[in-house]
Amino acid sequence: MSENKIPYKIYLDESEIPEAWYNVRADMKNKPAPLLNPGTGKPMTAEELGAVFCDELVAQELDNDTAYIPIPEEIRNFYKMYRPAPLVRAYCLEKALGTPAKIYYKFEGNNTSGSHKLNSAIAQAYYAKKQGLKGVTTETGAGQWGTALSMACAYLGLDCKVFMVKVSYEQKPFRREVMRTYGASVTPSPSNTTNVGRKILEEFPGTTGSLGCAISEAVEVAVSNPGYRYVLGSVLNQVLLHQSVIGLEAKAALDNYGVKPDIIIGCAGGGSNLGGLISPFMGEKLRGENDYRIIAVEPASCPSFTRGTFAYDFCDTGMICPLAKMYTLGSSFIPSANHAGGLRFHGMSSTLSQLYHDGYMEATSVEQTSVFEAAEQFARIEGILPAPESSHAIRVAIDEALKCKETGEEKNILFGLTGTGYFDLVAYQKYNDGEMSDYIPTDDEIAASIAKLPKV
Amino acid sequence: MSENKIPYKIYLDESEIPEAWYNVRADMKNKPAPLLNPGTGKPMTAEELGAVFCDELVAQELDNDTAYIPIPEEIRNFYKMYRPAPLVRAYCLEKALGTPAKIYYKFEGNNTSGSHKLNSAIAQAYYAKKQGLKGVTTETGAGQWGTALSMACAYLGLDCKVFMVKVSYEQKPFRREVMRTYGASVTPSPSNTTNVGRKILEEFPGTTGSLGCAISEAVEVAVSNPGYRYVLGSVLNQVLLHQSVIGLEAKAALDNYGVKPDIIIGCAGGGSNLGGLISPFMGEKLRGENDYRIIAVEPASCPSFTRGTFAYDFCDTGMICPLAKMYTLGSSFIPSANHAGGLRFHGMSSTLSQLYHDGYMEATSVEQTSVFEAAEQFARIEGILPAPESSHAIRVAIDEALKCKETGEEKNILFGLTGTGYFDLVAYQKYNDGEMSDYIPTDDEIAASIAKLPKV
C-alpha cells in the first residue's frame, strides 16, 4: 500500500491479535541475570518462586529460551474486548510541529484501566485461576495496575486484594472507587493488617507509605494465606513477555503499510511498557536483521538508567523480595513527588537493564514541567489527554520530530502512548496553575542510597 | 458474512465515516414545531436566531426538508481522530445473562471528552470559526459537553467560555481542569459577570446554580460580545443532525454483517444521543421501509417523556431563550440530585417529542439504584465503566435481554453507550457504600411546575 493511504488510526483485524507472546530473552546473547535468594545469595529456584507466584508464571519468569509462548484462548478472548489497540498516525501533531518526520503512536489507553497494564493483569489472573487459586494480592501506586488487576479478577471471578500507597489512597479516591466497583478490596498501605505494615507504622507513625512498602505487605498476605499468590505489574520478565502484544501489534500495523520506524521511544518506570513496545523490534536488532534507534525516557527525578548503577538490589523496601540485577538508584532511594507515579520506582527491569548495559538502547531523562508542556500540546492537537507517564515519551518524540525539522529528515518516529490522564487531573491542575516544580536529585543523594545496596 | 463471524468490536474503515449527516426531519410528516419568540409568540426568524447562533447552524436548525447535509472535510478530519466509533457485540454480557438475545452497543466514549458530545461540538465550533468569530460560549452541567467543546475549540484556535453549574464546578474539579487544559475559561454559575447571574445571586445568595441558569448566562455573554455566539450540546435540531453520525455508523456496521436490530434503546436527557442513534432507523420506519421498536430511557427523577406534557416551554430558567414545543416538566421543575447530570433537563428535543407524540417510539423511566446495579454488572462483564447517563440504556437493554431469556426469542438489541464514567466516581462511591437513594417526584410537584408553563 502506498504511504499516503495510511489512515489516522490503523486498526488490525481481530484475527490479527497475536497468537503468541514474544520472549525477547530468547534472542539475547547475554541473558538477564537471575533473581537471587537474599538469604542464600543463590538463584531463586522454581520451587522458591512458587511460594510467591503462580506456577505457570514462574515458568515464564525463568524461561530464557522459548521465543514464542502461545497466548491461551481465554486471554485472547479478553484481549478482544479492548484490543487490537490502535496505532495512530499523528497527522495533526506533525502538521502543528511543521516537521517532515512521520509520527506514530501505539495507544494503549482505550480501556477502563486507562493503560497497557491490563495486558499483563489478565494473563496473571488467568494463570492464578487456572491453578485453582482463590485470589491474588498486589500493590498499586498511581492506581493503573490495581485497576487493571481488579478488572481482570472481576472477569474471572477471582478475589483481588490491593494494597494502595496511603498517599494515593487518600489523594486518588476515584481510582480507589473504580477498583471497588470491580469488586477489589483496597487497603491503604502501610496498614495494621500485616506484620511488615505494623512494623513500619510503629517506626514511622505518620508515614504516607511507599510502593516498596506496599509490595512488602502484598507479598506477606500472599504467602501467608492459602490459595493466594502475589502478582506484580512491571519489572518482571513475565510482565515484559505479556506486554509484547503492544510491540507485536504495532509492528504488524506498520508492516501492513510497509513502514519501518527509525526511532522507537517509550517511557520507562519498571519497564513494562517500554519492554513490551520494543520487543519485536529489539528481536530483529539482536538477530542482526534490522537496526532501530531505541530510546528509554525516564523522569529526571528518578533516573535509574541515566544515573543509577547496574547491580543486584531489592525490589521492595521491606527487603523480603528476591534480589534483581538491574539499573537501580538503591531501594532506599526516595524519589521526589513527581506526578508520574508509575515512573517512581528505584529500579528497572532486569531484561531492559541488560539490553541497555549491552548498548542496544539509549536512555534520556526529562523534567516534569517540560513533560506537562508536551502533554498539554499533545492533548490540544491530538485530542487525547495523556497520562503523565506516557507524556515522557511524547516529550522526546516531539523533540526528535523538531530535530528532523532542522535537518529536513523524514524519519519515522514510533512512541508508546501508554495511557490516559483522566485520574491525574490534580497534576494537570498544578501545571495549569503554574505551581509545578522540578526536582533533580543531587549526586550525593544518589550516592548515599547506592552505598546501601546489598552485598552479593 | 455469516453471523458467527461477527467480531467483538466492529470497526468501520476510516473511509466509511459518513460523508453527510442525516436529517430525520426530512422524512417526518409532522415536522417538529418551530421555536417561538417569547415576546411576539411568532416563529423565530433566521435573523433573530442569528444573533444567538452561527448563521450556518441557524440554517441547519430551520431546515426541515434536506435529508442529507454534507459533512465538511475539516470536520471529517477531526472525526478521524476518534471515529469510526466501535459497534461492540456484547458476547460476554450475553453469556453472563444466559440470554438468546444478541446485544450490540455503539460505544461513543473512546475520546477524551468521554462521550458522544464531541460529534456536535466540533461541528458547531467549525461553523463559528468559518464565520470568522472569535469564540463561543456555552454552559455545562455534568461537564461532558463543556469538555467536548473546549477540545473542539482548542483544535480550531477558538476562544471558549464555559459557564459551569456551581455545584458541579466545586464537586467536579477534575472536569474543570480538563477544560482548562484545553484552554477554556470556566466560570462557576451563577456568576457576577452577567446581569442575569447578578440578579439570581441577589435573589438567591446561596444558590449552587442550575443548568437553566447557566444557559441564561452563556446566552447573555454571547449576544453582548461582538464576535461570539452561543452553542448548545443537546435539544436543538442541529445537534440531532450532527449526532446522526452515531446511528449512521451503527447501521453501516450492522448492515455489513446483515444484522437488523429488533429493539433500539437510548438514554434520553435533551435527546442528543437518542436522536443521533435512532435517526437512520427512524428514517426507514417513517418511510415505511422497516420497523423497529425504539425505546427512550429517562430517569424516574426527571421523567419528561413519561410524565411531562407536550407544550411550548422555555429551555432556560432565565426565560431569555426561545420557546420550544416539547415534552416538558416545566422550566421551573427542579429535578432531584440524580447522579446522571446529563439527564437532568426539564424538557426534550422537539424532534423527538414530535416522534414520540406521533407514536414512533416508546419511553420508559428507571430508578437510579437499579441503573447503578446495571452499570456495575456491565463494568465487570464488559470491561467498560459506563457513564451514569449511558447506564440507563444498559438497564433497559439487560431487562429486554432477560425477557428474551424467558421467551426464548433471539432478538437483536442495539443500545447506545454514550460515554464513560471516569468523572462520575463520586456517584459510584455512593453506590459502593450503599448510600444511593431514589427519588420520584410526586404528581403534585409535576403539576405545579407544568401549571407555570408560558401561555402561547
Side-chain angles (χ1 to χ4, degrees):
Chain A
M1 266 173 257
S2 74
E3 203 178 322
N4 59 14
K5 282 196 183 158
I6 295 176
Y8 278 59
K9 296 182 271 41
I10 306 175
Y11 276 106
L12 297 176
D13 196 79
E14 199 163 279
S15 61
E16 293 176 279
I17 291 179
E19 296 189 1
W21 293 300
Y22 167 63
N23 180 4
V24 74
R25 287 168 282 159
D27 284 310
M28 289 169 69
K29 207 180 293 177
N30 301 324
K31 306 293 183 191
L35 294 168
L36 296 189
N37 182 321
T40 65
K42 287 186 182 162
M44 294 284 289
T45 63
E47 202 186 337
E48 286 172 325
L49 286 169
V52 180
F53 301 114
C54 304
D55 298 341
E56 200 134 1
L57 292 169
V58 169
Q60 293 179 359
E61 190 66 26
L62 298 175
D63 187 343
N64 287 339
D65 303 310
T66 312
Y68 288 93
I69 295 179
I71 305 175
E73 188 62 25
E74 293 86 340
I75 297 177
R76 291 187 80 234
N77 280 343
F78 186 87
Y79 279 169
K80 286 178 190 168
M81 292 208 296
Y82 70 102
R83 307 198 70 82
L87 181 78
V88 186
R89 170 77 184 269
Y91 282 115
C92 300
L93 183 61
E94 291 169 16
K95 194 176 159 198
L97 296 175
T99 178
K102 291 167 181 66
I103 309 174
Y104 298 85
Y105 55 91
K106 180 69 173 169
F107 181 40
E108 290 284 328
N110 262 355
N111 69 73
T112 286
S113 78
S115 82
H116 65 293
K117 295 287 183 182
L118 202 50
N119 301 331
S120 185
I122 184 62
Q124 297 192 48
Y126 167 77
Y127 291 118
K129 181 77 180 179
K130 197 178 160 203
Q131 198 174 318
L133 298 177
K134 272 190 252 173
V136 290
T137 73
T138 199
E139 76 296 329
T140 200
Q144 293 181 332
W145 169 246
T147 307
L149 189 68
S150 65
M151 287 174 68
C153 288
Y155 180 80
L156 294 167
L158 268 182
D159 187 36
C160 179
K161 295 183 192 299
V162 180
F163 287 87
M164 187 170 188
V165 178
K166 193 180 278 178
V167 60
S168 295
Y169 183 90
E170 285 163 1
Q171 289 183 354
K172 295 196 167 191
F174 286 7
R175 271 283 182 206
R176 186 184 73 209
E177 289 308 321
V178 181
M179 291 184 259
R180 287 183 68 206
T181 300
Y182 280 94
S185 75
V186 188
T187 307
S189 166
S191 75
N192 57 16
T193 66
T194 65
N195 292 328
V196 65
R198 280 187 291 270
K199 197 177 147 206
I200 290 169
L201 282 172
E202 237 168 66
E203 259 183 86
F204 310 98
T207 181
T208 54
S210 74
L211 206 55
C213 160
I215 294 177
S216 302
E217 288 202 84
V219 171
E220 181 184 321
V221 171
V223 298
S224 55
N225 281 284
Y228 282 81
R229 289 296 184 281
Y230 168 73
V231 296
L232 180 65
S234 193
V235 181
L236 298 172
N237 295 333
Q238 61 189 263
V239 176
L240 265 69
L241 175 73
H242 307 147
Q243 295 295 359
S244 68
V245 291
I246 303 174
L248 291 166
E249 281 187 9
K251 189 160 189 314
L254 289 170
D255 285 348
N256 282 351
Y257 288 89
V259 176
K260 176 186 170 294
D262 299 294
I263 310 176
I264 305 170
I265 302 165
C267 62
S272 69
N273 152 65
L274 179 70
L277 175 68
I278 66 173
S279 62
F281 302 99
M282 183 61 87
E284 291 191 345
K285 190 166 177 168
L286 289 165
R287 297 190 301 270
E289 297 165 5
N290 247 322
D291 196 21
Y292 302 97
R293 189 174 162 220
I294 295 171
I295 310 175
V297 188
E298 53 187 21
S301 59
C302 195
S304 36
F305 266 145
T306 50
R307 298 177 66 197
T309 192
F310 189 40
Y312 268 104
D313 194 9
F314 286 100
C315 293
D316 65 328
T317 46
M319 300 187 183
I320 62 176
C321 290
L323 297 171
K325 189 170 180 194
M326 58 186 174
Y327 278 85
T328 178
L329 297 161
S331 68
S332 65
F333 178 80
I334 297 168
S336 70
N338 183 294
H339 287 291
L343 306 181
R344 290 177 63 199
F345 185 66
H346 64 275
M348 182 61 68
S349 140
S350 288
T351 299
L352 291 185
S353 292
Q354 189 64 50
L355 289 166
Y356 178 62
H357 188 70
D358 291 343
Y360 288 105
M361 49 191 275
E362 308 166 30
T364 186
S365 74
V366 288
E367 296 179 41
Q368 73 172 346
T369 46
S370 77
V371 166
F372 274 83
E373 266 169 39
E376 186 195 78
Q377 185 178 14
F378 183 83
R380 292 185 183 185
I381 295 168
E382 285 287 320
I384 297 171
L385 188 80
E389 290 82 359
S390 326
S391 304
H392 285 67
I394 297 174
R395 169 76 278 159
V396 173
I398 289 176
D399 290 346
E400 290 295 332
L402 291 175
K403 282 184 205 163
C404 289
K405 190 179 176 178
E406 296 286 318
T407 62
E409 289 172 289
E410 294 187 20
K411 285 185 184 167
N412 292 318
I413 300 173
L414 167 65
F415 74 89
L417 187 70
T418 56
T420 51
Y422 306 147
F423 295 96
D424 302 287
L425 271 305
V426 169
Y428 275 97
Q429 180 170 7
K430 278 237 158 64
Y431 177 74
N432 292 336
D433 290 340
E435 290 171 3
M436 184 165 279
S437 59
D438 294 316
Y439 181 77
I440 302 177
T442 65
D443 288 343
D444 286 353
E445 275 177 89
I446 292 175
S449 56
I450 284 179
K452 292 183 204 156
L453 286 179
K455 308 283 172 267
V456 283
Chain B
M1 267 176 255
S2 75
E3 204 178 325
N4 58 15
K5 284 197 182 158
I6 294 175
Y8 279 59
K9 295 182 273 37
I10 306 175
Y11 275 107
L12 296 177
D13 194 79
E14 199 163 278
S15 61
E16 292 175 281
I17 291 179
E19 297 190 0
W21 293 302
Y22 167 62
N23 180 5
V24 74
R25 284 167 284 158
D27 284 309
M28 289 168 70
K29 207 180 291 177
N30 300 324
K31 306 293 181 189
L35 295 168
L36 296 188
N37 181 320
T40 65
K42 287 184 180 162
M44 293 285 287
T45 63
E47 202 187 335
E48 286 171 326
L49 286 169
V52 181
F53 301 114
C54 303
D55 298 342
E56 202 135 0
L57 292 168
V58 169
Q60 292 179 0
E61 190 65 28
L62 297 176
D63 187 342
N64 286 340
D65 303 310
T66 313
Y68 288 93
I69 295 178
I71 305 176
E73 190 62 26
E74 293 86 342
I75 296 176
R76 291 187 78 233
N77 280 342
F78 186 88
Y79 280 168
K80 286 176 189 169
M81 294 206 297
Y82 69 102
R83 310 199 67 84
L87 181 79
V88 186
R89 171 75 184 268
Y91 282 115
C92 300
L93 182 62
E94 290 169 15
K95 194 175 161 199
L97 297 175
T99 177
K102 291 167 180 66
I103 308 175
Y104 298 85
Y105 56 92
K106 180 69 172 168
F107 181 38
E108 291 285 325
N110 262 355
N111 70 73
T112 285
S113 79
S115 83
H116 66 294
K117 294 287 183 181
L118 202 50
N119 301 331
S120 184
I122 185 60
Q124 296 191 48
Y126 167 77
Y127 290 117
K129 181 77 179 176
K130 198 179 159 203
Q131 196 172 323
L133 298 177
K134 273 190 253 175
V136 291
T137 72
T138 199
E139 77 295 327
T140 199
Q144 294 180 332
W145 169 244
T147 307
L149 188 67
S150 66
M151 290 176 66
C153 288
Y155 180 79
L156 294 169
L158 268 183
D159 186 37
C160 179
K161 295 182 193 301
V162 180
F163 286 86
M164 188 171 187
V165 178
K166 192 179 277 176
V167 60
S168 295
Y169 183 91
E170 285 161 1
Q171 289 184 352
K172 295 198 166 187
F174 287 7
R175 271 282 181 203
R176 186 184 73 209
E177 289 309 320
V178 181
M179 289 185 259
R180 287 184 68 207
T181 300
Y182 280 93
S185 76
V186 187
T187 306
S189 167
S191 74
N192 57 16
T193 67
T194 64
N195 291 328
V196 65
R198 281 187 290 270
K199 196 177 149 204
I200 291 169
L201 283 172
E202 236 169 67
E203 259 183 86
F204 310 100
T207 180
T208 55
S210 74
L211 206 56
C213 161
I215 294 177
S216 301
E217 285 202 270
V219 171
E220 181 185 320
V221 170
V223 298
S224 55
N225 280 283
Y228 282 80
R229 289 294 185 284
Y230 168 73
V231 296
L232 179 66
S234 192
V235 181
L236 297 173
N237 294 332
Q238 59 188 265
V239 177
L240 266 69
L241 175 71
H242 307 148
Q243 295 295 357
S244 67
V245 291
I246 304 173
L248 291 167
E249 281 186 10
K251 189 159 190 312
L254 289 170
D255 284 350
N256 282 350
Y257 288 88
V259 177
K260 178 187 170 292
D262 298 294
I263 310 176
I264 305 169
I265 302 165
C267 63
S272 69
N273 152 66
L274 179 69
L277 174 68
I278 67 173
S279 60
F281 303 100
M282 183 60 86
E284 291 190 346
K285 190 165 177 171
L286 288 166
R287 295 190 301 270
E289 295 164 8
N290 245 323
D291 196 21
Y292 303 98
R293 189 175 161 217
I294 295 172
I295 309 176
V297 189
E298 53 187 19
S301 60
C302 195
S304 37
F305 265 144
T306 50
R307 295 176 68 198
T309 192
F310 189 39
Y312 268 104
D313 194 9
F314 286 98
C315 293
D316 64 329
T317 47
M319 299 187 183
I320 65 175
C321 289
L323 298 171
K325 190 172 181 193
M326 55 188 179
Y327 277 84
T328 179
L329 298 160
S331 66
S332 64
F333 179 81
I334 297 168
S336 71
N338 182 292
H339 288 291
L343 305 182
R344 289 177 65 203
F345 185 67
H346 64 276
M348 181 61 68
S349 143
S350 288
T351 299
L352 292 184
S353 292
Q354 188 66 48
L355 289 165
Y356 179 63
H357 188 71
D358 292 344
Y360 288 103
M361 48 190 278
E362 308 167 27
T364 186
S365 74
V366 288
E367 294 178 42
Q368 74 171 343
T369 46
S370 77
V371 165
F372 274 83
E373 266 171 40
E376 186 194 78
Q377 185 178 14
F378 183 82
R380 293 185 181 185
I381 295 168
E382 285 287 318
I384 297 171
L385 187 79
E389 290 83 357
S390 325
S391 305
H392 285 68
I394 296 173
R395 171 74 279 160
V396 173
I398 289 176
D399 291 346
E400 290 295 330
L402 291 175
K403 281 183 207 163
C404 289
K405 190 178 178 178
E406 295 288 316
T407 62
E409 290 171 287
E410 295 187 21
K411 284 185 184 167
N412 291 318
I413 299 174
L414 166 66
F415 73 89
L417 188 69
T418 56
T420 52
Y422 306 146
F423 294 96
D424 301 287
L425 271 306
V426 169
Y428 275 97
Q429 181 170 4
K430 278 239 159 68
Y431 178 75
N432 291 335
D433 290 340
E435 290 171 3
M436 185 165 278
S437 60
D438 293 316
Y439 181 77
I440 302 176
T442 64
D443 288 343
D444 286 351
E445 274 177 87
I446 292 175
S449 55
I450 284 179
K452 291 183 204 155
L453 285 180
K455 308 285 173 267
V456 284

